[in-house]
Amino acid sequence: MPMQDVLRLARWEWFKLRRLRLPWVLLAVAVLVSQLGIWTNYVAYHNDAVHQVVNQGDSSISLSPDEWQGTAVTATCVGIARGRLPTGFDGLTEEQRNLAQEHLDAWRSEDCGNTVTLDELRRGFTLPNSITASVSGFSSLGPVAIGLLLIMVLTASLVGTEYGWGTLRTVLAGGIGRWTFLSAKLLLLLCVCAGVLIVIAAASIASSLAAALVPPDEAGVLLDSGTWYDVLIVSLKSVYGFLPFIALSVFATALTASRGMGISISVGYFIVESIVAPLLHFNDTLGDVADYLLIQGFRSWTAVPTGEPSSDTLQSFAAILGYTLFLFAGAFWIFKRRDISGAMGD
């Protein structure tokens, strides 16, 4: 399996892939998903109501001791984070202010520890942290890792299309080895994943420029905290984390010789693990097992982009590597030994 044959075939696969509509539709969805975080943070930075939504609610307190003669002081966590003076604070004497401030400080330390600050919101739409957040958001947005779903659908479609069209037998009859053919598909998929992250990064840069040039009622801010090194690390970790999901889709498609079944099995596994994994955490022993499932391992692997590797990070790295090698080995073995039939029509 000369590498030049793999590269030549991968170029031909790209020539075919870029003429299909599905990859471009998936790319558009990926970019839109990655942009949600940037513009949500931007709007929340300038709007109290959206800030409360991002904060998933807002705790409040109302102070009205008898010795204040009916003067009430009310405050919210979001209001404090935005630097607003509590309502009624101006009407207090200095002694009353000191007493109110003691109550407010105690309440804030207890109830406002998870409040999203303005600095955190600003980091969400300024460079280079906006790129890091966009890549992470694409990979694992909230409870649903949409990026992983898109990658599995693309993988199953790319590998299974040859079965549906009935062109696989013709291609292999031309002298291309099966290992060379499947290796070219995998190489193209890795390049596509890297390309998607590059497009997401470019879109994030454009969005951050727009956010800096048209801010309401304040000077624009383009660069904030974070480093470009973080962008590189989180991108590389994401691509590595995608490997077992690509392998799963390739295995499912090779096993069933069907694009539709490959997509169904891959997405079905995703749904089942998303439901079962939280339930397993109710038991300590089973919870440890759940941490090594595909999606949970991916989240653990991509959770901390920088810093010294922890034991959990190294375990996630090993788990991802193990899943990838096992599933790829199974896919290559099945693809090598199975007879190739005509068009499947899916």
Side-chain angles (χ1 to χ4, degrees):
M1 185 179 61
M3 190 60 189
Q4 60 182 8
D5 292 340
V6 175
L7 294 175
R8 184 177 67 252
L9 188 56
R11 286 197 297 270
W12 170 245
E13 291 294 330
W14 165 244
F15 178 81
K16 293 190 298 181
L17 180 66
R18 67 184 184 180
R19 282 163 172 74
L20 300 176
R21 283 180 293 181
L22 178 63
W24 301 108
V25 172
L26 296 179
L27 176 61
V29 174
V31 172
L32 289 175
V33 168
S34 69
Q35 291 291 295
L36 286 177
I38 291 178
W39 292 107
T40 298
N41 283 300
Y42 178 78
V43 175
Y45 183 81
H46 296 97
N47 185 278
D48 288 18
V50 180
H51 190 169
Q52 291 180 13
V53 173
V54 171
N55 203 54
Q56 298 180 350
D58 192 14
S59 298
S60 62
I61 187 174
S62 179
L63 303 174
S64 56
D66 294 337
E67 61 266 26
W68 291 2
Q69 299 178 350
T71 302
V73 174
T74 60
T76 64
C77 291
V78 168
I80 291 177
R82 301 183 75 86
R84 288 200 301 268
L85 199 65
T87 303
F89 207 75
D90 287 336
L92 300 179
T93 65
E94 182 176 355
E95 182 180 355
Q96 291 172 342
R97 286 188 181 188
N98 293 335
L99 180 59
Q101 191 63 55
E102 292 179 5
H103 287 290
L104 290 173
D105 290 342
W107 166 76
R108 180 173 54 183
S109 62
E110 181 177 349
D111 291 355
C112 300
N114 295 324
T115 301
V116 181
T117 66
L118 287 179
D119 287 339
E120 290 173 325
L121 292 175
R122 185 188 297 110
R123 286 196 294 270
F125 61 86
T126 53
L127 296 172
N129 190 72
S130 60
I131 303 177
T132 305
S134 294
V135 172
S136 299
F138 162 70
S139 302
S140 52
L141 179 66
V144 180
I146 296 178
L148 300 180
L149 281 174
L150 298 179
I151 288 170
M152 289 192 291
V153 170
L154 177 62
T155 300
S157 179
L158 177 62
V159 176
T161 295
E162 304 289 352
Y163 290 106
W165 289 347
T167 55
L168 183 56
R169 177 184 292 180
T170 304
V171 172
L172 296 178
I176 297 176
R178 298 195 183 198
W179 283 65
T180 301
F181 177 81
L182 198 55
S183 297
K185 293 275 190 182
L186 298 178
L187 177 61
L188 175 61
L189 284 166
L190 288 177
C191 292
V192 168
C193 288
V196 168
L197 296 185
I198 292 174
V199 172
I200 288 174
S204 301
I205 292 173
S207 295
S208 294
L209 288 172
L213 293 175
V214 288
D217 303 327
E218 65 175 87
V221 177
L222 177 59
L223 296 175
D224 203 74
S225 62
T227 66
W228 294 98
Y229 175 76
D230 294 344
V231 175
L232 176 63
I233 294 300
V234 76
S235 298
L236 292 176
K237 292 181 73 171
S238 294
V239 172
Y240 179 76
F242 294 154
L243 285 175
F245 298 93
I246 294 175
L248 174 62
S249 292
V250 172
F251 176 81
T253 305
L255 179 66
T256 60
S258 168
R259 174 181 58 184
M261 288 300 297
I263 293 175
S264 298
I265 292 175
S266 302
V267 175
Y269 171 83
F270 184 94
I271 295 173
V272 170
E273 182 183 329
S274 299
I275 296 173
V276 171
L279 299 178
L280 294 179
H281 280 99
F282 285 106
N283 180 278
D284 293 338
T285 303
L286 295 179
D288 293 337
V289 174
D291 291 336
Y292 289 94
L293 296 177
L294 279 179
I295 299 175
Q296 303 304 312
F298 177 82
R299 292 187 186 279
S300 178
W301 167 245
T302 57
V304 183
T306 58
E308 293 295 329
S310 65
S311 59
D312 290 340
T313 303
L314 295 176
Q315 290 172 1
S316 299
F317 176 87
I320 290 173
L321 180 62
Y323 278 120
T324 301
L325 293 178
F326 176 78
L327 291 169
F328 273 151
F332 273 101
W333 185 84
I334 292 171
F335 190 71
K336 181 72 175 177
R337 299 177 64 87
R338 171 165 288 173
D339 292 335
I340 304 299
S341 58
M344 310 294 280
D346 65 338

